[in-house]
Amino acid sequence: MRVHELARELGLRSSKDVLDKLLEHGMQLKNHMSPLTEEQEALVRQAFPSGSAAQAASQPVAAPEKKTVLVRGPIIVKEFAEQLGLKPNQLIAEMMMMNIFASINERIDLKIAQQLAEKHGAHLEHEKKQIERKPVTKAAEPAAEPTEDRVEELATRPPIVTFMGHVDHGKTSLLDKIRNAKVAASEDGGITQHIGAYTVTLNDRQITFLDTPGHAAFTQMRARGANMTDIAIIVIAADDGIMPQTREAIQHARAAKVAIMVAINKTDLRGANVDRVKQQLQKEELAPEDWGGTTICCPVSAVTGAGIDHLLEMILLQADMLELKSNPTRRAQGYVIEARLEPGMGPTANILVKRGTLKVGDAITCGPYWGRVKALISDKGIKVRTATPSMAVKVLGLTAVPEPGMEFQVQANDRVARDMSEKACAEKREQEIAVAPKRLTLDDLMRPAAAQAKDARKLRIILKADVQGSLEAIQNALAGIKSDKVQLDILLTGVGNVSSNDVLLARASEAIIVGFHVSKDDGVNAVAKREGVEIRLYSIIYELLDEVRNAMVGLLEPVVKQTVVGHAEVLQVFEISKKGKIAGCRCTDGRITSRSRARIKRKGEVLFEGALNSLKRFQNDAAEVREGQECGLRLDHFSDFQVGDVIECFEIEKIAQQL
Ligand code: GDP
């Protein structure tokens, strides 16, 4: 038997009584659904003799007991419908009658859910979050840290840098050159370790480089919620110039709103032409500083090492401008860069600290996992006691292998960490339901619900086309859609098929992908499905424009217009045992339709507003009743009619706003 079943059987107010009783006896159960041992069941029965099964048995034909529906966490339409024994569509329809428009995966407000449950003869028991239900003595709880830091607690932290750019332009070579020149030669020695990032020191200041270059990795992390980079360095080979992937990298960095610098590499080659690259940069709106722009451009050579120190100095200068700060004194928080199971070490996670200081012995949670930090290993392969903001370390001691991009957080102690990890496990399941459908699709946008989302008045698109000419034509046409209310933001434009990178950028930026005369690269469908990104392909330009325009309109909340269609007066009230009361009325003007909503007015005062439940004429269901005709009607959630009440029927119309 489970906790809630026993509570119901014993006639207790809620399952919490059972959980509390067991806790008094040192038995902590997880939740309402936990199974009970015979011993636990006996103990509870003994504790609540008055409402015991024996008593229940002596009243065999009591009024049918209300079914209890237990919901933990957010109340989701689909699950809630199942719990009420309804089809999701039925529930959605009922909610529409209440003027609530929700899709199958959306959350329902608690009050509304309670009303719906009552309507179906059930009682809703809602547990907000499992963790909050555990009776913990507040006094013993270590104080939670405030989420915001005070200004005086903030200290400058090293910048975190990612190299991006076209293939073969020298990203990896630059990373290696800097690592070899700076890390291996540094006095703390050690053998360099690949832990996803490394830190170099220049003039007593530090810079952290993320080890995986390229915008795919960068955007993939961002799509997972891990915004780790402060400065993106676009690497351009001086002999090759700006190439398609260079442009893509620039667009990805821009979409992420990170600072952009340029390293013009391979300056040792004969064919190197730095000025030509600078000229190209101007066209990309990245005019170099020495050409009157604001972009820092550093000529370098990953082979000879020329310009590397200057590049590092410029990174520090850029960091100064960004005023990167973090509080090193709080409990650490950051992201997993990569993680694996290592022989002899168990699960290891290479993490990057964003705030606070991570220490050996800390209790840490990482997504649904937790652990106690057994050891920290630096990028020099040395065991360290602490890791400060912007530092990457390998962490030993987690109970399982987390996923890259997951956030880690140090907790007050082991118990809190374990509780948090349990909670995260429960929430993970909820997120699987709630987050996945949150990605944007054009159809979503055309639905008014999207209008409620914050920042929804910006439609972000990624545009791909077959040739540069059509790309420009579409961009011009899109620019012609004028609207003061909705902003159209073209995040990336490109010639060629829709790629997995496009999908990742769309996922990270909540954008949709629009293609013209292009198809999808192999494997893109699977990535798009996994990431929940919508790709729309067109071969007719007007169709593309129309749909984008419709999507923009969809972002605007429709104007709701109410039209009164008729009135009826209550002549007689009929009491019908189970189903409540029916008002016998005459339509005094206009018409009453079964789809209308009604307002009950008594002496001019509005008593209730709701949907009609049924409309009958001479025992038969009627779709409409006209002036002078008599009818019987019933409402949802109201039956306190009196003779003389006026029923005002109205219809609601939603009118799309103009752009
Ligand atoms: P990535 O694809 O951007 O990571 O490029 P790599 O770092 O793998 O470099 C591609 C090729 O360019 C390799 O053969 C490198 O040796 C070469 N390379 C990289 N940087 C330089 C440079 O500064 N000068 C010269 N001459 N060759 C370079």
Side-chain angles (χ1 to χ4, degrees):
M1 180 174 276
R2 292 174 193 274
V3 171
H4 70 99
E5 289 165 345
L6 183 60
R8 195 163 62 214
E9 190 182 314
L10 295 178
L12 300 177
R13 248 182 321 113
S14 88
S15 319
K16 186 175 180 296
D17 294 342
V18 176
L19 291 170
D20 287 352
K21 185 51 69 189
L22 289 171
L23 196 78
E24 275 173 32
H25 292 268
M27 293 174 234
Q28 187 171 6
L29 291 195
K30 250 183 159 176
N31 55 43
H32 304 294
M33 304 299 287
S34 304
L36 295 161
T37 62
E38 277 181 17
E39 182 204 359
Q40 288 166 335
E41 195 181 316
L43 197 148
V44 177
R45 285 187 189 283
Q46 213 176 6
F48 298 106
S50 56
S52 71
Q55 195 191 42
S58 68
Q59 306 167 341
V61 273
E65 222 181 275
K66 269 191 177 177
K67 181 171 107 179
T68 302
V69 175
L70 287 166
V71 187
R72 261 184 299 145
I75 308 168
I76 309 294
V77 171
K78 184 172 168 221
E79 295 187 341
F80 190 52
E82 275 166 20
Q83 283 175 299
L84 291 178
L86 300 174
K87 292 222 166 73
N89 285 348
Q90 267 175 291
L91 190 66
I92 291 171
E94 283 184 21
M95 287 169 66
M96 277 165 89
M97 300 293 279
M98 295 163 80
N99 212 16
I100 296 162
F101 300 89
S103 67
I104 191 159
N105 289 308
E106 260 174 79
R107 295 176 180 210
I108 313 176
D109 182 77
L110 178 60
K111 272 200 186 130
I112 303 296
Q114 274 162 343
Q115 281 181 24
L116 288 163
E118 292 294 328
K119 187 175 164 200
H120 290 279
H123 169 69
L124 174 69
E125 214 170 272
H126 181 241
E127 187 182 284
K128 212 169 171 195
K129 288 216 169 103
Q130 190 185 325
I131 198 79
E132 287 167 8
R133 301 277 297 143
K134 292 196 176 163
V136 207
T137 26
K138 276 275 176 267
E141 194 63 39
E145 281 190 321
T147 42
E148 294 294 322
D149 296 307
R150 289 200 304 269
V151 180
E152 60 271 23
E153 292 170 333
L154 296 177
T156 302
R157 65 168 176 84
I160 300 165
V161 179
T162 300
F163 281 121
M164 300 199 210
H166 196 72
V167 66
D168 279 351
H169 278 199
K171 301 177 290 290
T172 316
S173 307
L174 273 171
L175 272 169
D176 287 347
K177 187 73 184 174
I178 295 169
R179 186 203 311 262
N180 293 335
K182 299 289 164 194
V183 179
S186 63
E187 65 270 17
D188 37 19
I191 304 157
T192 58
Q193 295 254 321
H194 281 272
I195 60 162
Y198 65 84
T199 302
V200 300
T201 306
L202 184 87
N203 307 333
D204 288 336
R205 292 182 62 187
Q206 293 175 314
I207 304 169
T208 297
F209 288 92
L210 288 176
D211 238 355
T212 325
H215 54 267
F218 168 86
T219 303
Q220 190 148 33
M221 279 301 208
R222 207 160 75 77
R224 290 175 181 150
N227 270 326
M228 297 198 271
T229 303
D230 301 307
I231 302 171
I233 300 190
I234 310 291
V235 179
I236 307 170
D239 61 332
D240 209 14
I242 290 185
M243 300 299 281
Q245 281 175 34
T246 320
R247 270 190 206 99
E248 221 175 277
I250 295 169
Q251 286 170 318
H252 280 239
R254 278 192 176 134
K257 297 194 169 64
V258 298
I260 296 177
M261 286 176 57
V262 174
I264 305 177
N265 191 32
K266 304 200 187 184
T267 50
D268 58 293
L269 289 178
R270 268 171 161 260
N273 187 344
V274 174
D275 281 352
R276 188 174 68 107
V277 177
K278 288 187 176 177
Q279 224 164 25
Q280 292 175 331
L281 282 168
Q282 259 184 328
K283 284 200 195 128
E284 300 297 324
E285 290 172 40
L286 283 176
E289 271 193 315
D290 50 343
W291 285 32
T294 53
T295 311
I296 301 177
C297 294
C298 303
V300 290
S301 165
V303 166
T304 65
I308 299 271
D309 275 351
H310 178 247
L311 173 69
L312 298 181
E313 277 164 23
M314 289 298 117
I315 293 173
L316 289 174
L317 186 77
Q318 178 78 60
D320 287 341
M321 291 193 280
L322 295 174
E323 294 188 46
L324 303 169
K325 293 209 157 105
S326 169
N327 175 1
T329 59
R330 61 181 302 134
R331 290 180 205 134
Q333 177 222 323
Y335 298 107
V336 175
I337 310 172
E338 51 197 35
R340 62 173 84 80
L341 202 59
E342 288 188 64
M345 290 199 223
T348 66
N350 299 332
I351 56 99
L352 184 74
V353 178
K354 280 297 268 194
R355 299 213 281 181
T357 298
L358 182 64
K359 304 182 200 75
V360 172
D362 275 347
I364 132 173
T365 48
C366 196
Y369 312 118
W370 78 283
R372 179 182 261 259
V373 179
K374 272 201 278 187
L376 296 173
I377 299 170
S378 78
D379 53 355
K380 284 115 195 157
I382 298 166
K383 279 197 174 179
V384 290
R385 304 285 313 164
T386 58
T388 48
S390 299
M391 218 176 124
V393 277
K394 186 193 287 279
V395 176
L396 274 66
L398 278 169
T399 47
V401 181
E403 283 158 34
M406 268 185 180
E407 190 173 358
F408 80 85
Q409 177 94 47
V410 170
Q411 305 298 344
N413 55 38
D414 283 4
R415 187 177 53 76
V416 176
R418 201 179 309 119
D419 280 356
M420 297 290 282
S421 112
E422 261 181 30
K423 181 182 152 197
C425 281
E427 278 178 359
K428 197 175 163 208
R429 191 192 62 86
E430 284 163 13
Q431 273 167 12
E432 279 163 6
I433 313 162
V435 174
K438 277 267 135 60
R439 315 268 167 272
L440 240 38
T441 66
L442 271 179
D443 290 333
D444 269 351
L445 293 171
M446 289 177 204
R447 265 193 285 123
Q452 285 144 27
K454 224 175 138 207
D455 195 26
R457 298 204 171 153
K458 194 182 250 186
L459 177 64
R460 296 180 197 82
I461 64 171
I462 289 172
L463 184 63
K464 301 295 294 262
D466 52 345
V467 289
Q468 191 63 30
S470 43
L471 205 55
E472 279 163 20
I474 295 166
Q475 269 181 289
N476 286 338
L478 287 173
I481 306 179
K482 294 274 178 255
S483 170
D484 301 334
K485 299 172 193 153
V486 185
Q487 197 182 329
L488 182 67
D489 195 356
I490 304 174
L491 281 183
L492 180 143
T493 59
V495 171
N497 286 344
V498 177
S499 68
S500 303
N501 274 342
D502 299 332
V503 176
L504 290 174
L505 179 65
R507 161 79 162 87
S509 314
E510 293 264 298
I512 52 170
I513 300 175
V514 176
F516 181 71
H517 275 306
V518 291
S519 52
K520 300 173 203 167
D521 279 352
D522 285 348
V524 161
N525 270 338
V527 184
K529 197 168 167 208
R530 189 189 69 218
E531 303 290 345
V533 168
E534 162 141 58
I535 304 172
R536 291 262 177 139
L537 303 179
Y538 301 89
S539 50
I540 301 168
I541 200 161
Y542 293 107
E543 267 180 21
L544 184 155
L545 295 176
D546 275 354
E547 289 220 25
V548 170
R549 190 180 290 111
N550 286 343
M552 288 169 74
V553 172
L555 288 174
L556 296 172
E557 213 156 345
V559 181
V560 177
K561 196 176 144 207
Q562 278 193 19
T563 317
V564 173
V565 292
H567 292 90
E569 191 186 336
V570 178
L571 305 177
Q572 213 176 341
V573 181
F574 303 98
E575 194 127 2
I576 296 186
S577 60
K578 266 189 201 162
K579 293 182 174 175
K581 292 176 187 168
I582 287 186
C585 314
R586 177 184 296 120
C587 178
T588 51
D589 66 80
R591 61 199 160 85
I592 313 287
T593 71
S594 56
R595 290 187 324 275
S596 328
R597 294 180 63 78
R599 221 174 259 135
I600 314 296
K601 290 182 169 177
R602 190 172 298 160
K603 294 185 187 126
E605 193 187 330
V606 177
L607 295 184
F608 178 80
E609 201 177 295
L612 280 193
N613 181 303
S614 82
L615 178 67
K616 286 191 189 285
R617 208 168 135 62
F618 307 120
Q619 313 299 323
N620 299 324
D621 285 332
E624 190 175 289
V625 176
R626 298 205 159 260
E627 186 177 331
Q629 292 180 330
E630 289 186 357
C631 61
L633 59 82
R634 205 148 48 83
L635 293 182
D636 279 336
H637 312 299
F638 182 88
S639 62
D640 191 21
F641 299 107
Q642 281 182 18
V643 172
D645 286 350
V646 172
I647 300 177
E648 182 172 79
C649 285
F650 60 96
E651 278 167 7
I652 292 176
E653 201 182 345
K654 295 201 166 184
I655 305 162
Q657 278 195 60
Q658 295 301 309
L659 277 177

